[in-house]
Amino acid sequence: MSDETGTPTTTPAGSQPSTTGPRPEPIRFFGTTWLHHDNGYALRRVAVSAGSLAAAVVSCLVLRFAYEGLLIANTGNLVSLLVVGMFAVCSALAFGHTWESFGKRPDPERRASLRGLLSIGFVGSLLAYFFRSLTEAPGEKLHRREYEAALARHEKRASRRTGNPSKKRRR
């Protein structure tokens, strides 16, 4: 694992591993193309936007069928209202949590405790992914900030180590 980004230090077959500094952390669906916006980055953003929007639309249709099932079952207005309210609130909370996670690393314990809420509000997460992918790869700003900080730390460390320390004069 790399000390700088926490990513595995694997290299493509036939190439030499680079030990000159930190490596960028890959983003889901984008790999490391977010760093220089190369290798089909724009096409990937369009595909991710379209895919997440299509998944959100299909999910809403599935939820509509579930709601119609409640109406057919004649469970009553209170149950229907509670189910619609639950999905609306959970989707709004999932949207907010997903949107926040693009700007800062989420706390693993909090994320584990919210797993049920996030799975119920999956439509909100899909919409957050859609809206963020319109402007950048989701999480790109966070990864870029962390990568640039790691590069700065590496440069600072590397610039201090000049020459052979054993030949250093004693004071």
Side-chain angles (χ1 to χ4, degrees), residues 70-154:
L70 286 175
L71 291 179
I72 292 171
N74 200 14
T75 56
N77 290 336
L78 180 61
V79 172
S80 298
L81 183 65
L82 287 174
V83 168
V84 169
M86 174 195 61
F87 275 107
V89 169
C90 289
S91 289
L93 290 173
F95 180 92
H97 180 57
T98 305
W99 192 265
E100 271 184 15
S101 72
F102 295 143
K104 64 179 180 140
R105 296 273 179 188
D107 179 28
E109 291 179 15
R110 183 171 182 255
R111 188 174 185 97
S113 67
L114 292 175
R115 185 172 294 138
L117 182 130
L118 294 175
S119 62
I120 293 171
F122 61 97
V123 174
S125 293
L126 288 170
L127 290 175
Y129 212 80
F130 166 70
F131 286 121
R132 182 56 75 135
S133 63
L134 291 176
T135 58
E136 67 175 8
E140 177 181 346
K141 191 180 295 182
L142 170 68
H143 285 75
R144 188 172 301 281
R145 185 175 50 229
E146 289 175 348
Y147 178 68
E148 288 173 355
L151 275 178
R153 283 192 308 270
H154 176 74

Side-chain angles (χ1 to χ4, degrees), residues 31-104:
T32 58
T33 61
W34 60 268
L35 187 60
H36 301 294
H37 294 190
D38 57 354
N39 295 334
Y41 171 81
L43 184 62
R44 290 175 192 226
R45 270 202 23 223
V46 169
V48 166
S49 294
S52 58
L53 183 62
V57 168
V58 168
S59 300
C60 287
L61 289 174
V62 169
L63 289 176
R64 181 171 181 232
F65 291 142
Y67 178 75
E68 287 178 359
L70 286 175
L71 291 179
I72 292 171
N74 200 14
T75 56
N77 290 336
L78 180 61
V79 172
S80 298
L81 183 65
L82 287 174
V83 168
V84 169
M86 174 195 61
F87 275 107
V89 169
C90 289
S91 289
L93 290 173
F95 180 92
H97 180 57
T98 305
W99 192 265
E100 271 184 15
S101 72
F102 295 143
K104 64 179 180 140

